[in-house]
Amino acid sequence: MKKLMVLAAGLLQIPVIKKAREMGVYVIAVDDDPNAPGMALADKAIVPGGLMDEEKLVTIAKEEQIDGVIHPCSEVAMNVMGRINDELHLSGISKEMAIRATNKHLMREAFEKYGAPSPKSILTKDEEDAWEIFCEQFSTNAILKPSRNSGSRGIAKVEKGITKDAFIELYRRALNESRDHSVLIEQFIEGPEFSVEVIVWNGEPHVLAVTDKKTTEAPYFVELGHNQPSVYPVEIQEKLKAGAIAGCKALGLTYCAAHCELKVQNGEAYLMEIGARMGGDFISTELTHLSSGIDMVAATINVVLGVEPNLNPVEDKHGVCIRYFTPKPGKLVAIENEEALNDAHVYDAEIYHKVGDVIPEVKSSLDRSGHVIVIADTVKEAIDRAERMIKEVKMITA
């Protein structure tokens, strides 16, 4: 029986833990929180007392004689995962690859060197340097983003004409959210957002799905929903796929899942960033198998165990859409018409808050209040039904 170490055991990791056990894999869940919900689902649970402590985790991996390690839908311990792969000579990305795939500045350098399509990007020294760069080197609107983080944390649009004080406030917010205390300023690409879900095997990227995204407006651009398959023209989808493949090759990815985020402006695709992991927001764990019939979770598990993945459909294909609840900020006083979620087209739904909770302003993906996943014969029908349910279920705040 192969042994798989799963780094983190939160809600996002549960589908991987469950799937691995279904596949007959012995699962070792590792999380600093002994009460993390995935811990009870694993064959063995370990509380390391420092999930990002490379030496400690390498020691555990050796003692457990694991055959593979995975850190799904998260980037916090990517470097640790890469170090374990290096030390134990396992399938999966190296620490060098993990660093490139979690540092947006190094990622941009790799894209530029390879010729992968991406926006102009400059690493700033401090807030005064960033302001000077914005004023002198950008003729268009720009984006401030932490060089290391995910989930839209710290990202903000800065428009030409913004005051210096307002710019610096947004810069400091981005800096505060950056794990390596640095901030990029980038060309703002005006256009719709997408992700491309990929499995990389033996250095060759295989596209499984193109995901359309719905986000909030400036300044935070928090994702409010996704749908598969894409409703955009084939020629746009082909450019997105080509950009994702070029980006994976630019980063030198060899054995992993990849979640590639892109935007389209004037008919051309631009890489925003690539996570050398499965995407969050249920994209890799649920949407991709529902729309493509391909089990991305099983494929990813096999890849990190050194087993060639099955990239053929194994189930029926659907139109699928996820939408997130984002009620007005304030104290939650009532939830009305929640029974609307008891619909045959609802694949999964959850309200994250209860009456009495305080609903925050939506500044990152952590601030959303619930979700509904809808499947239908066509993606347009799934979108229409999901949008309607988001309106029908009312979370009343005061």
Side-chain angles (χ1 to χ4, degrees):
M1 181 182 289
K2 287 186 177 291
K3 289 186 176 182
L4 176 68
M5 176 184 282
V6 181
L7 299 181
L11 293 173
L12 293 176
Q13 288 76 43
I14 285 176
V16 175
I17 295 170
K18 286 183 174 180
K19 176 62 68 173
R21 295 197 68 191
E22 287 174 15
M23 294 165 64
V25 175
Y26 185 89
V27 177
I28 303 166
V30 182
D31 199 298
D32 286 333
D33 179 4
N35 298 314
M39 296 290 259
L41 302 175
D43 293 287
K44 184 173 184 177
I46 296 176
V47 180
L51 191 61
M52 290 187 285
D53 187 326
E54 292 186 15
E55 301 301 329
K56 189 174 291 185
L57 269 294
V58 166
T59 298
I60 292 171
K62 289 179 177 178
E63 289 175 348
E64 297 296 332
Q65 297 181 317
I66 66 170
D67 298 290
V69 59
I70 189 170
H71 186 42
C73 309
S74 178
E75 293 191 345
V76 174
M78 289 284 285
N79 291 0
V80 176
M81 181 180 70
R83 170 78 182 281
I84 292 171
N85 285 329
D86 289 344
E87 292 275 345
L88 277 69
H89 307 291
L90 301 175
S91 179
I93 63 171
S94 66
K95 183 176 178 180
E96 180 184 354
M97 293 176 200
I99 291 171
R100 272 201 304 272
T102 54
N103 183 297
K104 294 179 176 63
H105 175 57
L106 297 178
M107 188 183 300
R108 285 276 179 257
E109 287 187 332
F111 290 163
E112 184 176 352
K113 183 177 180 180
Y114 187 86
S118 63
K120 174 182 178 180
S121 177
I122 300 173
L123 181 66
T124 64
K125 297 176 182 176
D126 52 38
E127 59 193 39
E128 291 293 336
D129 178 55
W131 174 248
E132 184 177 332
I133 290 170
F134 178 60
C135 293
E136 296 182 0
Q137 299 189 42
F138 283 80
S139 58
T140 62
N141 298 332
I143 285 280
L144 291 171
K145 60 171 61 175
S147 61
R148 283 202 67 199
N149 215 324
S150 58
S152 304
R153 297 176 184 87
I155 292 177
K157 180 182 180 182
V158 288
E159 299 185 347
K160 298 304 289 185
I162 190 174
T163 65
K164 183 177 181 180
D165 286 345
F167 178 94
I168 289 176
E169 181 180 349
L170 292 173
Y171 180 93
R172 289 174 178 172
R173 177 176 174 272
L175 186 67
N176 187 56
E177 292 285 354
S178 180
R179 293 196 186 106
D180 64 359
H181 213 63
S182 58
V183 174
L184 298 172
I185 184 166
E186 296 187 347
Q187 170 192 3
F188 181 70
I189 303 298
E190 300 278 358
E193 297 189 25
F194 306 84
S195 67
V196 178
E197 318 319 321
V198 175
I199 291 290
V200 185
W201 173 255
N202 196 27
E204 189 61 39
H206 301 269
V207 172
L208 275 55
V210 175
T211 312
D212 300 340
K213 293 180 175 290
K214 178 180 181 180
T215 69
T216 62
E217 298 299 321
Y220 303 121
F221 302 102
V222 179
E223 294 173 359
L224 298 182
H226 318 281
N227 65 263
Q228 292 178 5
S230 174
V231 301
Y232 281 77
V234 172
E235 56 268 26
I236 293 296
Q237 294 188 48
E238 290 304 314
K239 289 185 177 181
L240 291 165
K241 293 176 184 178
I245 290 170
C248 289
K249 290 184 175 181
L251 295 179
L253 303 182
T254 50
Y255 296 93
C256 65
H259 176 67
C260 311
E261 298 189 340
L262 304 95
K263 294 183 76 173
V264 170
Q265 177 177 277
N266 299 326
E268 298 299 326
Y270 294 83
L271 278 163
M272 297 295 105
E273 58 188 79
I274 291 179
R277 53 172 174 77
M278 294 192 300
D281 278 6
F282 303 94
I283 294 172
S284 295
T285 55
E286 300 293 0
L287 271 61
T288 297
H289 78 84
L290 290 169
S291 74
S292 70
I294 300 170
D295 192 335
M296 188 172 186
V297 178
T300 306
I301 291 167
N302 276 328
V303 165
V304 302
L305 290 173
V307 177
E308 185 170 359
N310 179 13
L311 301 181
N312 297 309
V314 295
E315 61 181 271
D316 293 337
K317 301 178 183 180
H318 307 273
V320 58
C321 176
I322 183 171
R323 288 292 184 264
Y324 285 90
F325 291 96
T326 55
K328 291 182 179 179
K331 185 177 181 180
L332 183 61
V333 297
I335 303 174
E336 298 178 354
N337 201 29
E338 192 172 354
E339 61 272 15
L341 300 176
N342 300 323
D343 184 285
H345 289 86
V346 173
Y347 177 82
D348 183 69
E350 184 179 357
I351 302 296
Y352 307 154
H353 295 289
K354 62 183 184 298
V355 171
D357 288 351
V358 175
I359 305 297
E361 180 185 356
V362 178
K363 294 183 178 180
S364 81
S365 59
L366 298 176
D367 299 325
R368 299 171 305 197
S369 297
H371 72 268
V372 58
I373 300 175
V374 174
I375 58 175
D377 291 335
T378 68
V379 66
K380 289 186 178 180
E381 181 187 354
I383 292 169
D384 289 344
R385 288 180 177 275
E387 294 279 6
R388 185 164 66 247
M389 289 178 188
I390 287 294
K391 293 176 182 177
E392 290 176 351
V393 179
K394 300 184 185 300
M395 301 177 70
I396 311 299
T397 56

